[in-house]
Amino acid sequence: LEEQRKKDEL
Amino acid sequence: MNIFRLVGDMSHLLAIIILLMKMWKSRSVAGISGKSQILFAIVFTTRYLDLFTSFVSIYNTSMKVFFIGTSYVTVYFIYQHFKPTYDSNHDTFRVEFLIVPVGGLAFLVNHEFSLLEILWTFSIYLESVAILPQLFMVSKTGEAESITSHYLFALGSYRALYLLNWIYRYYFEGFFDLIAVVAGCVQTILYCDFFYLYITKVLKGKKISLPA
């Protein structure tokens, strides 16, 4: 989840 | 997505569009650092490799593709299409002094010792200093066209807005990424001197010219 949220940013 | 993040992304998008329009309309890349633009192409390429491994949203994917694509178009404009107008004599920043330490740091300080994660970290660190060749060029020639100043202002504002986004996310989502935050602070601090010049000069209709 943490990973996913980080990659959500550009 | 919060308002700071959205406006930050739009500011980033605007910066890229301003730069492309400047080059295309004036048929010239004068005053633009090719070295900074190469660094941005490296930044986007190494950061968005997750396009192949994970899907977040249409917005996310299209922005990533746009950033990668336009960064290569920009580099192509500078080194091929409008090459005669490129001012290489003033674009003399030694980028190896940025890439080597940043690469070493990404190797040592990261969230996880895996290829994609190290490349992501590398791109975050590299982005924070990628504008230095451009700022160096402005200080070396002692001037910047207004359009170049608008580009730099939009580009600098984007990460400053991301800082607000991270403050917001910390309080309301408990989200905190130390690597991104520290690099984002460094990146924004590098623009402070320029922001000052932009507000005191460009917004009053003067172009940036530094004393020799």
Side-chain angles (χ1 to χ4, degrees), chain B residues 45-129:
Chain B
T45 308
T46 50
R47 186 173 312 168
Y48 300 149
L49 288 170
D50 64 347
L51 275 171
F52 297 104
T53 60
S54 58
F55 176 80
V56 180
S57 63
I58 302 268
Y59 173 84
N60 188 273
T61 300
S62 28
M63 292 290 268
K64 284 174 176 173
V65 170
F66 182 84
F67 287 153
I68 295 176
T70 50
S71 72
Y72 283 95
V73 170
T74 305
V75 170
Y76 168 77
F77 276 177
I78 296 171
Y79 290 96
Q80 288 293 329
H81 204 73
F82 299 124
K83 191 178 185 222
T85 63
Y86 170 49
D87 191 10
S88 60
N89 290 337
H90 289 120
D91 195 12
T92 50
F93 194 93
R94 301 281 297 272
V95 286
E96 59 271 35
F97 292 153
L98 296 179
I99 293 188
V100 173
V102 156
L105 191 63
F107 209 73
L108 294 171
V109 184
N110 52 57
H111 290 308
E112 186 192 304
F113 202 77
S114 67
L115 181 65
L116 275 188
E117 193 59 33
I118 289 172
L119 288 173
W120 179 87
T121 312
F122 171 74
S123 92
I124 292 288
Y125 292 154
L126 187 61
E127 185 192 337
S128 71
V129 293

Side-chain angles (χ1 to χ4, degrees), chain B residues 156-172:
Chain B
S157 307
Y158 133 74
R159 220 48 175 174
L161 287 158
Y162 258 69
L163 292 180
L164 300 177
N165 156 55
W166 289 324
I167 293 169
Y168 178 95
R169 292 190 74 178
Y170 176 74
Y171 279 108
F172 295 103

